[in-house]
Structures are given as structure tokens and as C-alpha cells.
Amino acid sequence: MVRFADGGERVPASLPEWLQWQARRQGEGIALRHKRLGIWQARSWAQVDAEVRGLAGALQVRGFAGDAQLVVLSRPRPEALLAALAAQWLGGSAALLDPLEPAAGQQELLRGLQPDFVFAEGLEELERLRGAGLAPRLAFYADARGVKAQAGEQDYARLLAGSGAVQPELPAQTGRCAFAFYRRGADGRRERQQISHGELLREGRRLVQAEQLGAHEEALAARAFAAGGQARYLLAPWLIAGFRLNFPESLATRDNDRRELGPTLVAGTRETYGRLYAQVQARLPPPGSAQRRLVDWALARRPGLLRQVLGDWLVRRPLRDVLGFSRTRAPLLVGEPLPQEVQAFFAGLGIAVRAWPDPAEWHSPPAHPAPLVGDWLADGSQPA
């Protein structure tokens, strides 16, 4: 509950309000962890709340207010998430872009958006922004390696340190847009999907209740945030249930980090599970060999005590450990269904992947004709 000055309480109505509530409820508990140089770095709920407040104050001083939009161009990392929450704290929204999309098409999109406020992960993302010929009022970045800041660019840590004592108010914003996503439509025009705080919290509560999620869960944010399903089924449940959200050191290390972490909650897509299935298939013994016959026998879905006990000990448990699913109790599939062979493989491992829909509604901006987006999303779906 959110407590007011008159002593009254109400259910939090936005993502920042839930953050505020968790900070009051379990301030010293760990909210976020991010692996850097092989070591997990932790932030408590109180620290996350203070950091978001500080960022919101810094953004407000620079003119961010009302319906302003913060463009986030970053791989999964805590600073990207906290920057988005800071924008939402002020009543604005965050437009999440995937830096792994083709540069030319994304620069065309950025030129169409003409953002005043941008969070860019590091040098590569800043160069993409510069290449679009934009001059945002503020572009701040988390990874300062190799960056020679230009006009309007600011290091994340310095921006936060210079936020001062500004404490912006937290407006009621249930119906406001929290996240926006962009893509190219069939006619080549820019399309937008918007998700409000109310929709996110409704879907998040439904997942938390259905999966019985609590503060003891561990989740890994291994995908880019540039997808509505991640906002609905990972970020909103994180704030509502108050569990621990972990970020891999990089996309290249995510599988090793998942094995080390052993998350209890996995929110993946068709690409996520398909990629893991392909990795295992490539490493299995050749068909016809004695070892492969043992694997096939253990994964066959037939009753029998011997197969259940021996197969789990020799095959299924080691495979779950390799995949990082040793402790997973809530394996979620967001969006498109799995191919039958992939679904059967995970079921054979004792991993009952449960599907959750991603009801995206895309619209073209109504005010002016949108520019063509060139090669935007030309390389297909986002990496899992």
C-alpha cells in the first residue's frame, strides 16, 4: 500500500509506486544484481528507490516533465531499467529500442522520433545516436569506456551525483503510458505499441497470482527490454512480488550466468527456448550410440519407476544443470508457441513450459506521415 500524509492507504497504481512500496516494505532486501567482471554487484530496494528518485530529479531539472519520452537504447542492465522508472516517476514514458537491430534502420527511426532525452548504454549506442544527426537535450550513458562526451552528453554516475536534493513528486498515473515500442509496419510506416501502467500491473498481478510468485524468487533479465512481454511478465511482477532481478554480465555470458544463478523464474520466448534446445542437440552423443540411446530412453515420456529415478539421476538432472534450469519452478513462454519437438524436449526434462500471451496492439502515429524506416528489423526477430 502507498501511505499518504493523512494516514490513508491505497494499492500502488504505477510501477514507481510499487518500487516505493517495496522500498518501505523490504528496504534492505536485494532488488537487483548485475554481474560485472565476474562478480555480482547488488542494489537493495532502498538503494534502487533512492537512485530512481535521484535520476528523476536530474531529469526534471533538465526539463523532463509530463508526457515527455525517454528513449532507452541499451542491452539489459540495471541503469537502463532505473532510467526508465525515473522517466515514469515524472509522468513520462520510456521508449525501449534494441541496440542489436540494424544501425541504418534504427537511425532512421531515431530521426523520426527526434528525442529530447536519451539513455544510451555506451560508446556504440552514442555513435548510433550521433550518426542519426540528432542533438537531444540530454543523452546520458552508463558505460563510459572510450567515450569523449559531446555537447548534451553526460555520464550516468555524474548525472546522478549532481542531482542534488531535488525530490520530485510522484503523480497518480494509472492510465499513463509506461513503455512504448516501435517497429516497421507492412506498408513501411513506423508503428507504435504503448502499454499503460494499469495494463502492466493488471497482467503482472495475474502472473504473480497464477504462478504463486513471492519475494524469494530469482529471475534473470537475459533479453533486451525492447519487447512488451518482458515488461508485462518480468518487470511488473518483479515490482509487485518484490523478488530479485539479476542481469548477466553480457549477452555473450548469459548462459553461463544462468547456470551459476539457477533462476526460479524464467520468462523466455520461442527464440530463447529454441536456442537452448539447439545448443543441447548439438552436444548430444551421435544417434545410434549407446550414450544417445540412454539419453533417448531417459527423455521418453513413459511411466516407470526405473526410468523416472535412474533417468533423472543420469540424464535429466545433468541437462537441467547445463541449461541453468536446476531450480526453475516457473518456466514461462511469452508470445509465440514452441515447436512441438522443443516443447516435448523440455517436458522430457521435467520442465513444464507455460505459455503467456503477448497481446501487442500496433498503431501508426496519427499526426503526421511517418518516415520510412529502411532496414528497421530487417534481420528478423530479436535475439533470445
Side-chain angles (χ1 to χ4, degrees):
M1 299 290 181
V2 176
R3 183 177 295 277
F4 294 94
D6 61 3
E9 291 186 343
R10 65 172 171 81
V11 175
S14 69
L15 301 183
E17 282 188 5
W18 272 106
L19 171 60
Q20 191 178 57
W21 188 82
Q22 292 291 355
R24 290 173 178 171
R25 175 175 172 264
Q26 52 167 340
E28 299 305 313
I30 296 177
L32 294 176
R33 293 200 310 162
H34 184 200
K35 199 173 189 183
R36 290 179 179 169
L37 301 177
I39 300 174
W40 290 101
Q41 310 288 336
R43 287 176 171 92
S44 70
W45 285 102
Q47 288 173 325
V48 169
D49 179 61
E51 193 164 328
V52 170
R53 287 172 184 263
L55 287 172
L59 288 173
Q60 187 178 61
V61 166
R62 287 159 178 80
F64 191 101
D67 294 328
Q69 186 174 79
L70 173 69
V71 168
V72 177
L73 184 56
S74 175
R75 297 166 183 81
R77 63 181 302 143
E79 294 87 351
L81 173 56
L82 302 191
L85 288 170
Q88 294 162 0
W89 189 291
L90 297 171
S93 63
L96 307 183
L97 306 184
D98 187 349
L100 298 183
E101 298 293 354
Q106 195 167 76
Q107 287 174 335
E108 198 66 35
L109 172 68
L110 287 167
R111 282 190 285 269
L113 293 176
Q114 288 291 313
D116 285 327
F117 300 91
V118 179
F119 170 81
E121 181 176 3
L123 178 60
E124 180 182 345
E125 291 72 32
L126 282 173
E127 289 180 339
R128 184 169 290 198
L129 186 66
R130 295 166 182 170
L134 303 178
R137 188 181 307 180
L138 173 66
F140 58 112
Y141 50 91
D143 187 351
R145 290 176 297 180
V147 175
K148 293 182 179 179
Q150 299 181 5
E153 297 175 355
Q154 175 73 66
D155 176 80
Y156 178 99
R158 291 184 179 180
L159 180 71
L160 184 60
S163 60
V166 177
Q167 290 291 319
E169 294 184 2
L170 181 57
Q173 49 193 356
T174 304
R176 286 181 178 268
C177 172
F179 290 107
F181 308 91
Y182 294 89
R183 72 176 186 184
R184 182 182 63 182
D187 59 358
R189 297 179 61 196
R190 186 177 77 243
E191 292 184 343
R192 178 179 62 205
Q193 175 194 171
Q194 293 182 314
I195 310 178
S196 69
H197 290 269
E199 180 181 352
L200 286 173
L201 295 179
R202 182 172 62 252
E203 294 298 318
R205 280 193 294 267
R206 189 163 68 92
L207 178 69
V208 168
Q209 293 169 0
E211 299 291 344
Q212 295 295 295
L213 302 179
H216 57 279
E217 311 294 348
E218 294 269 6
L220 182 68
R223 277 183 57 85
F225 286 148
Q230 295 293 298
R232 288 186 179 92
Y233 301 126
L234 187 61
L235 301 185
W238 164 63
L239 290 166
I240 294 170
F243 54 75
R244 185 180 300 176
L245 187 60
N246 300 272
F247 291 81
E249 186 151 4
S250 68
L251 292 179
T253 69
R254 59 188 163 178
D255 292 331
N256 288 333
D257 294 340
R258 183 189 298 108
R259 282 192 290 270
E260 179 182 332
L261 178 67
T264 60
L265 168 65
V266 173
T269 64
R270 176 188 177 100
E271 290 77 19
T272 305
Y273 290 101
R275 178 175 56 80
L276 295 175
Y277 169 76
Q279 287 180 1
V280 171
Q281 293 300 310
R283 298 175 184 177
L284 287 179
S289 65
Q291 289 178 317
R292 182 59 175 267
R293 286 196 294 271
L294 173 62
V295 171
D296 293 341
W297 174 81
L299 296 182
R301 301 192 66 187
R302 286 182 243 165
L305 182 60
L306 180 63
R307 189 192 304 271
Q308 181 178 346
V309 175
L310 195 59
D312 193 65
W313 179 55
L314 292 176
V315 176
R316 291 193 295 272
R317 184 180 298 176
L319 281 178
R320 289 196 298 267
D321 290 342
V322 166
L323 291 170
F325 281 72
S326 57
R327 298 194 303 134
T328 302
R329 70 172 196 84
L332 311 181
L333 171 68
V334 180
E336 298 181 25
L338 295 179
Q340 184 176 357
E341 67 274 13
V342 178
Q343 183 82 37
F345 169 75
F346 280 97
L349 290 180
I351 301 170
V353 179
R354 296 183 284 280
W356 285 81
D358 186 10
E361 294 184 6
W362 296 90
H363 305 280
S364 295
H368 304 286
L372 293 178
V373 192
D375 294 328
W376 176 243
L377 291 181
D379 64 344
S381 59
Q382 299 173 18

